[in-house]
Amino acid sequence: MSVPAGAAAIGCSVDYSVSSQWQGGFGANVSITNHGDAVTSWTLTWNYNAGQTVTQAWNTTLTQSGTAVTARNVSYNGSIPTNGTVSFGFNGSWAGSNPDPLTFALNGVDCTGGTTPTTPPTTTPPPNGPADVTVNSATTYQTVDGFGAAQSIWGSAWSTTDTQTLVGMGANQLGLSIVRTGLSPVSSEWATHVNSLKTAKSYGSNVKILASPWTAPAAWKTNNSRVNGGKLRTDYYDDYANHLNSYVQYMRGQGVTIDVTSVQNEPDWHPDYDSMDWSGTELRTFVRDQGARVQNTKLMVAEAVNLNYNFTDPTLNDSTARNNIGYIGGHLYGTEESGRLRPYSLAEQHNKPVWMTEWNLHAADGGGSNIWGNPANTAVWNETLDDIMRTVHKSMEANWSAYIWWYGKRYYSFIGDGESAYGTVAGAPLKRGYAFSQYAKYVRPGYQRVALTKSSKASPLEVTAYQGDGKITLVILNRSNSAVNNAVIQAPRTVSRAEHYLTSQNANAASQPTSVNGAQATINVGARSISTLVFTL
């Protein structure tokens, strides 16, 4: 028999073992050992003879047609090296009997090695199978750009220590990976944040900078004022593009790369402070005709108050304008109520990542009280968990690529500002910062969100999973009043270690006990908590 391209020249052997079995279901592990040349793309096939049906799989793409089962390698699995081995696993169902298949074929060539039949005892599983959360890394969603916060737009800069606390990856640091900064209409003010931005870039890990302008210079606007809205006059469109470009080049000269430059903060809002009005068609025209003038950065359109598509659809629907932008941005105010806290299909169609670039909520103080410096304050924790962290979770499920909170340093935010009326210590991490770090510190830029399934036991948990840097990371919200103990989390393949960190009303990103067995970890998810489980593969 001729050997197909990519098949093992000498042969292969397969170790198929049923690792656990319960009435109606089973889990199996499969290892393929190649006894010949490297196989760059592998397909393993076998047949079931007792009516078994495969269900969820990890470390492979697995399909079944009748009795025939086909398992294929996935991107992170790679080739089978010369005289090497790859492994994968899956769950399945059975009735009556569950014999091992005895013949396998690798890329159409029968394996010379056999299998050793396994008959593990039948056990009583959890209600819906052996795991409470099962990660399926073969199904992927958005790539994450990061989690961040804004500097003071009109006030003083973050100190070096403040910046290190916000972007650092060490103990009692919060791991922010995006810093939003204001792009002043007055160039003499551009120097204010240079040192903190340089610190963010040098001290943090892959930190991105977003620059957002609130207004153009007053003389270029229809109301001749920085405040109360007013439109950019069309005869100054080129000047405004040059203004944005000048800021980016100034910062480059200071050693700060501005990764993303917004055309306008809140074009649909005209308050009595710095602001400027645009329509969606005006934004389209500007980026179409002037966007190429802004160099060494990627443009963003356009941070509408509630991600109103009327301000972004015109740009996305114009091929020239669309090619001049890198990102779609919007704010969270009213977005959920308007039904737009969901995937933005037009942006996805044109491969434009969606960033949530601002939200601010501190209703817990009821107009002002000395509660924010108290890490055990119930009102503060409830708002943090039920409003802020819930919307981070929802934003990730909506395939958005970034979530950026308002000021990083403020009494109701991530580190305290020291205002005596609110009881925080300037620069000290706050409860809200520790909670946000459960995403920011462990879901790093470039990670990709992946699919998962949950058992009924895990139904109170709101979970997202991500892969990157040889890790699988799960962020778990438990907003219920009961702990979910002994929750079994299934990774796509065997893990070398698992780490679990939890923030609650009484804990700040505290390490938790974790039991690891092969590709599974068992953890306790405390009531009213947010936690992160990191598998190292």
Side-chain angles (χ1 to χ4, degrees), residues 349-481:
Q349 176 185 332
H350 295 296
N351 298 313
K352 302 299 180 184
V354 176
W355 283 21
M356 197 299 288
T357 59
E358 183 185 314
W359 197 42
N360 175 19
L361 178 70
H362 55 99
D365 54 28
S369 60
N370 190 11
I371 64 173
W372 295 93
N374 176 7
N377 183 273
T378 301
V380 169
W381 179 242
N382 288 346
E383 183 178 271
T384 296
L385 190 67
D386 294 326
D387 294 308
I388 297 163
M389 305 320 301
R390 179 186 61 82
T391 60
V392 181
H393 170 78
K394 296 285 288 184
S395 297
M396 293 299 101
E397 285 197 324
N399 292 335
W400 298 356
S401 294
Y403 187 109
I404 305 170
W405 176 250
W406 182 229
Y407 284 174
K409 182 180 182 179
R410 199 72 173 99
Y411 64 87
Y412 52 75
S413 289
F414 298 161
I415 62 175
D417 58 11
E419 285 196 27
S420 59
Y422 300 103
T424 67
V425 176
L430 298 173
K431 179 67 70 175
R432 190 158 288 184
Y434 284 113
F436 195 78
S437 76
Q438 300 281 169
Y439 283 98
K441 200 168 184 177
Y442 305 106
V443 182
R444 302 305 298 168
Y447 283 22
Q448 192 167 33
R449 189 170 72 88
V450 297
L452 56 85
T453 56
K454 297 189 300 183
S455 72
S456 58
K457 175 180 175 179
S459 60
L461 306 180
E462 297 164 287
V463 189
T464 50
Y466 311 83
Q467 62 181 356
D469 292 338
K471 303 175 188 291
I472 295 289
T473 301
L474 297 94
V475 185
I476 306 167
L477 275 71
N478 182 10
R479 296 191 296 117
S480 75
N481 292 318

Side-chain angles (χ1 to χ4, degrees), residues 102-115:
L102 299 178
T103 59
F104 297 84
L106 177 64
N107 289 0
V109 177
D110 290 344
C111 287
T112 56
T115 64

Side-chain angles (χ1 to χ4, degrees), residues 487 498 512-517 520-523 535:
Q512 304 293 300
T514 307
S515 172
V516 181
N517 182 12
Q520 292 185 337
T522 302
I523 60 174
F535 286 118

Side-chain angles (χ1 to χ4, degrees), residues 214-231:
W214 264 245
T215 182
W220 300 354
K221 295 171 62 182
T222 56
N223 67 348
N224 199 36
S225 172
R226 286 176 53 159
V227 303
N228 295 311
K231 288 185 176 293

Side-chain angles (χ1 to χ4, degrees), residues 289-312:
D289 299 344
Q290 307 294 336
R293 292 176 181 266
V294 190
Q295 298 287 304
N296 307 116
T297 190
K298 292 185 177 181
L299 288 180
M300 171 182 284
V301 171
E303 305 171 72
V305 168
N306 56 15
L307 192 61
N308 189 329
Y309 300 157
N310 291 330
F311 291 86
T312 46

